Amino acid sequence: LATDKKKGTQDADKDLKEALKRNPRCAPAHYFQGLVAKANGETAAAKKHFQQTVEIAPQHVDAQRELRLLNSKK
């Protein structure tokens, strides 16, 4: 809903980095950071965060789906 999408994603990214600093094994924070990276067109970073999500929470269906989608767009 942000009028300035780039500013909104920067704010979200800052908050997510703080969450991961407090708990590096927080699967939801990695997942949402992957979504932010994907929204900004940062495919490599998005893949990294989705992969970390799956490593922490192997049954995270949404992260698995995002990885399949990103890997199919080679």
Side-chain angles (χ1 to χ4, degrees):
L1 297 173
T3 54
D4 183 2
K5 196 171 203 173
K6 185 144 180 102
K7 172 79 169 112
T9 57
Q10 287 174 344
D11 291 343
D13 191 51
K14 183 180 127 204
D15 292 340
L16 291 166
K17 283 180 180 174
E18 177 62 29
L20 288 171
K21 192 163 90 171
R22 293 178 185 205
N23 180 5
R25 296 198 43 83
C26 180
H30 280 291
Y31 175 71
F32 287 116
Q33 199 163 31
L35 291 177
V36 169
K38 182 180 169 189
N40 287 331
E42 300 167 0
T43 306
K47 283 182 182 180
K48 180 186 101 176
H49 287 292
F50 293 137
Q51 185 61 46
Q52 287 173 320
T53 303
V54 172
E55 288 172 9
I56 295 166
Q59 300 303 317
H60 199 292
V61 177
D62 293 325
Q64 293 172 1
R65 182 180 308 118
E66 291 291 345
L67 281 171
R68 281 194 305 273
L69 287 171
L70 289 173
N71 287 329
S72 70
K73 293 181 181 182
K74 288 183 179 178

